[in-house]
Amino acid sequence: MNDRDPAAPVGAPLFLLSFRQRDELAAITANAGWRVVGARRADGVARRFLASGAAIALVDARGALDEGLAATRELGAVTSANGAALLVLVSRGDIGRLGDFLSAGASHFLTSPMRETELAHALRFAERHVARVGGWERRETRAAEPLGWRWDPALRSLQLTPALANLLNLPVTTNPRACLRQLDGDDVALARAAFRRLTDSAPSTAFAHELKGVGRVVEHLQYDSRTRRLHALVEPLGLTPDAGAAVREALLDARDAAGAGRWIARRLNEGKRVSLLLIALDRFETVNDAHGRSTGDSLLNAVGRRVDEAARAQLGKAAIVARMGGPEFLIAATDTGPAALESARAALVDMLSRPFLTGNGVISLSARIVQADSAAGEGASELLRRISEKLVDGGEQDVQPLDQLAADIRGAIDRDEIAILFQPQVAVSTGRIAGAEALARWNHPQRGEVGAETLFAAAARADMGAALSEHVQARALAIAAAWPTALKELRLSINVTAEDVGRPGFADRLLGRIDASGFPRSRLTIEITEGSIMEELGEAARLLAELRTAGCRVAIDDFGTGYSSLAYLKALPLDYLKIDKKLSQDIAGSARDRVVVRGVIDMARSLGLTVIAEGVETEEQLELLAKEGCQYVQGFLFAEPLDVAALLRRVEG
């Protein structure tokens, strides 16, 4: 069946980068009406995209997640600056990394396995995005003087474009042997193999070779099964680059021990104060022994991503992250205050406390974190030696294995160590607090405050996730039912988990819990995350409809982090859409970021949903969200999670 997309301009260029399945994807997209410029390697990907004349780049990261993410970073700046679209394709098992691709510059995503029509429609959405942004110009310089040829078997005619004919010093109409003589023996074999790969079901392929006067080129071949003609576009890759210069430029802020030392030395020479956080994973060799070195390497990469995320979130561009060798990571920052460093340390503790998923199951880690600030006249090597000695000399684990926390869960519930705080939700138009989300915090007697994610991860490890969820819901409802008069008009939002939704009788038990508390159903919002409804969309829709019929309201939480958000909006009975904090904060980034958030808000409002943005931290974010039509916001710009007394002061103030 031909799934040619009638909305796609016939022959419109599409830039395709696929590390594993280029030819298969090229065949699908060619059948949908696109003229494919394909690549298997990411070398010079931004330049090659611009040279293709395409308004859409498709990056297939299946089976090559890190390579795909690196290519997305390089392409993101180019597509954003030129009003183009960047569609990434990932495996369903990698949906947890979609946030990384969004941060890197992707404007659209699709997950595999998918049908050909789904890919065609995804490209159609990307095309519409380009038209809406209105910044794309298919400038003549991009497609001027193309190098290419066409073979017509009916006429036994080979025609070269004028530019290619001039380059090869051949007539525009020539014979195949004359062209093949331009290639050496090995390249001729590559060409013949590429021709043999072309069939009615696989009409596109490519091969690379040297071309006199140009250097390295890729020939993109496309076979028309109707006319039997063969078209080729010759894409110059240029001469072999100066690898040393390119790498030196890219590694100015290298993320290894030597590069970190150079970075610190430069800052100290500039007279800046440098602060360091050194993180060491304890007994990591046992992970390698138990699970193998491959799993250990994957786990270190995952730790590195979490460390990098904490550094970016708390310290911004003032910091770098370096892998120091073995299971040690360094965060180095300049002119950073103690409050920011403490926030970064707390974020690290929280993030590293969460379990890590590997091919061999779930692994929990323990770690120590030490801090040091540069002293007057101290060099980089002295500072690094001092913090390493501090690590050797010092201290208890900052990050405890999840098993230790799991063992304390039952006692935490019995001793009422699980506190309930309320984060205000503020109306954008009036600045008035209209509601509050109930959030759990564990006041651990040894470790101090433990965030909700770590808390619920520990409960899941102890097989007490349902018990903890019910305890938190009941406590939040009981506290809110006893709110003083000044808070009686506020809405309350409580969270439900995937385990809650999957248990038989979920809706009946929750409604019974609500009624037992005395809190009115009409002022209650049930927040459910995308991850909680992934597996059984139909059953989730039935349960949420039951809650709405009973008088509650329903919100989809953390929108923008899942892989089938559009399906959720279409299928589920919802009242509110809560934009994930990453999207809310991205709105102050590039024009492309704003387009993404604008699209989410427009889509939600067109469906009659009220939009709440989470994680709002700056006036700029608030102003931009207001301009795009967001109705409610919550985040540290207004208040951190508060106890009842503090919430009352905010409302009355």
Side-chain angles (χ1 to χ4, degrees):
M1 177 180 177
N2 190 330
D3 289 321
R4 186 180 296 275
D5 181 4
V10 176
L14 170 70
F15 182 80
L16 165 65
L17 172 62
S18 178
F19 301 90
R20 302 288 187 272
Q21 303 181 52
R22 181 195 62 189
D23 291 349
E24 294 88 339
L25 272 183
I28 294 171
T29 49
N31 283 335
W34 299 90
R35 177 167 57 83
V36 180
V37 178
R40 272 203 180 94
R41 300 197 309 173
D43 301 345
V45 66
R47 173 178 53 78
R48 298 174 68 184
F49 167 71
L50 289 173
S52 73
I56 300 172
L58 170 58
V59 175
D60 175 16
R62 295 173 299 173
L65 205 64
D66 291 337
E67 296 95 326
L69 186 58
T72 301
R73 289 194 184 98
E74 186 172 347
L75 282 168
V78 174
T79 54
S80 176
N82 289 276
L86 178 51
L87 170 65
V88 297
L89 175 60
V90 300
S91 301
R92 188 157 297 178
D94 291 324
I95 59 173
R97 298 291 303 279
L98 282 175
D100 295 336
F101 281 94
L102 181 66
S103 299
S107 59
H108 299 73
F109 73 87
L110 188 65
T111 58
S112 178
M114 81 289 181
R115 296 187 295 272
E116 292 185 15
T117 51
E118 292 175 322
L119 177 57
H121 283 301
L123 291 169
R124 185 177 177 181
F125 272 80
E127 183 96 22
R128 178 68 60 85
H129 164 81
V130 172
R132 286 189 61 186
V133 172
W136 177 258
E137 299 175 6
R138 194 166 278 118
R139 293 186 285 272
E140 292 299 321
T141 53
R142 287 188 180 140
E145 298 296 324
L147 303 177
W149 51 265
R150 180 179 67 193
W151 166 251
D152 189 331
L155 301 175
R156 300 192 62 78
S157 168
L158 179 65
Q159 290 182 297
L160 311 182
T161 62
L164 184 58
N166 290 334
L167 183 67
L168 301 179
N169 195 24
L170 292 173
V172 170
T173 300
T174 185
N175 64 75
R177 286 193 181 90
C179 289
L180 288 174
R181 280 197 294 269
Q182 307 295 320
L183 309 180
D184 64 28
D186 290 339
D187 287 341
V188 170
L190 289 174
R192 294 187 188 280
F195 297 151
R196 288 194 294 268
R197 288 196 296 270
L198 295 169
T199 65
D200 288 352
S201 59
S204 297
T205 190
F207 70 101
H209 63 87
E210 297 292 330
L211 187 62
K212 294 175 183 177
V214 179
R216 196 74 176 163
V217 301
V218 173
E219 292 209 31
H220 303 277
L221 307 179
Q222 193 156 324
Y223 171 63
D224 189 325
S225 59
R226 183 178 59 84
T227 66
R228 303 297 178 181
R229 289 176 175 173
L230 180 61
H231 296 81
L233 179 67
V234 181
E235 178 194 5
L237 298 181
L239 300 175
T240 303
D242 181 348
V247 170
R248 283 192 298 273
E249 181 179 356
L251 295 182
L252 283 177
D253 289 339
R255 305 303 178 90
D256 60 5
R262 290 192 296 270
W263 188 94
I264 294 168
R266 286 199 300 272
R267 271 58 185 181
L268 291 175
N269 290 338
E270 293 168 0
K272 295 181 178 179
R273 182 175 60 85
V274 176
S275 299
L276 304 181
L277 290 171
L278 183 60
I279 305 102
L281 306 181
D282 286 316
R283 295 183 296 279
F284 189 78
E285 65 277 1
T286 61
V287 174
N288 285 330
D289 293 341
H291 301 282
R293 187 162 297 278
S294 177
T295 295
D297 291 343
S298 297
L299 190 58
L300 286 175
N301 289 336
V303 170
R305 287 194 294 271
R306 292 193 189 180
V307 172
D308 192 63
E309 181 182 346
R312 284 202 320 271
Q314 303 300 327
L315 303 173
K317 296 180 179 179
I320 63 161
V321 174
R323 169 85 178 277
M324 300 301 286
E328 292 186 4
F329 297 83
L330 181 78
I331 298 176
T334 57
D335 298 328
T336 302
L341 285 171
E342 184 55 39
S343 295
R345 184 174 187 140
L348 286 167
V349 169
D350 186 55
M351 288 182 173
L352 296 180
S353 296
R354 304 174 200 164
F356 292 83
L357 293 176
T358 72
N360 295 333
V362 178
I363 295 177
S364 297
L365 298 174
S366 61
R368 288 166 292 147
I369 305 172
V370 293
Q371 177 182 339
D373 298 312
S374 60
E378 189 174 36
S381 58
E382 290 84 3
L383 176 58
L384 287 169
R385 183 168 56 251
R386 182 158 58 86
I387 196 170
S388 296
E389 292 171 351
K390 193 172 184 180
L391 185 67
V392 171
D393 294 339
E396 298 181 355
Q397 296 168 345
D398 288 85
V399 179
Q400 299 178 10
L402 208 61
D403 289 335
Q404 295 179 14
L405 299 178
D408 295 339
I409 285 287
R410 169 57 68 189
I413 294 175
D414 293 342
R415 294 189 297 271
D416 203 22
E417 293 172 0
I418 311 297
I420 306 298
L421 302 178
F422 300 92
Q423 185 160 46
Q425 296 171 336
V426 177
V428 172
S429 58
T430 64
R432 179 180 61 86
I433 295 177
E437 178 183 0
L439 299 171
R441 293 291 185 271
W442 183 6
N443 297 315
H444 193 281
Q446 284 80 43
R447 182 173 170 180
E449 186 174 279
V450 176
E453 288 190 44
T454 304
L455 169 60
F456 276 90
R461 176 64 61 87
D463 198 25
M464 292 190 62
L468 175 64
S469 185
E470 291 183 357
H471 174 77
V472 170
Q473 292 164 9
R475 289 284 296 132
L477 288 163
I479 293 171
W483 273 348
T485 302
L487 304 181
K488 288 295 185 182
E489 299 302 316
L490 297 188
R491 294 197 62 81
L492 172 68
S493 295
I494 61 173
N495 293 278
V496 298
T497 68
E499 189 175 358
D500 293 334
V501 176
R503 295 176 67 204
F506 155 70
D508 288 339
R509 284 198 312 278
L510 179 58
L511 290 171
R513 201 171 302 125
I514 296 166
D515 293 341
S517 73
F519 192 86
R521 295 181 180 182
S522 60
R523 284 172 43 217
L524 184 67
T525 299
I526 311 298
E527 294 193 7
I528 182 168
T529 63
E530 292 189 55
S532 299
I533 51 183
M534 250 180 224
E535 299 299 330
E536 296 292 341
L537 194 55
E539 178 63 11
R542 186 190 67 77
L543 292 170
L544 299 186
E546 188 175 340
L547 294 174
R548 291 183 83 224
T549 301
C552 303
R553 292 292 173 261
V554 176
I556 186 169
D557 196 12
D558 296 335
F559 186 84
T561 60
Y563 72 94
S564 55
S565 302
L566 293 178
Y568 295 157
L569 294 187
K570 179 180 177 181
L572 297 178
L574 301 170
D575 301 284
Y576 299 92
L577 182 149
K578 297 191 72 178
I579 298 175
D580 180 66
K581 64 181 180 180
K582 185 67 173 65
L583 277 182
S584 299
Q585 293 165 3
D586 279 350
I587 197 171
S590 67
R592 181 198 58 80
D593 294 326
R594 289 193 288 277
V595 169
V596 173
V597 181
R598 180 187 304 134
V600 170
I601 294 174
D602 288 347
M603 183 169 51
R605 297 196 64 174
S606 68
L607 293 172
L609 305 181
T610 299
V611 180
I612 305 172
E614 298 182 284
V616 179
E617 297 180 352
T618 69
E619 291 288 350
E620 181 185 14
Q621 292 167 5
L622 174 61
E623 181 181 354
L624 291 170
L625 286 164
K627 286 180 179 178
E628 299 301 343
C630 181
Q631 293 113 312
Y632 294 92
V633 289
Q634 67 182 78
F636 286 140
L637 177 62
F638 307 97
E640 68 280 4
L642 306 171
D643 59 23
V644 174
L647 179 62
L648 179 61
R649 288 194 295 272
R650 289 297 180 100
V651 170
E652 291 181 332

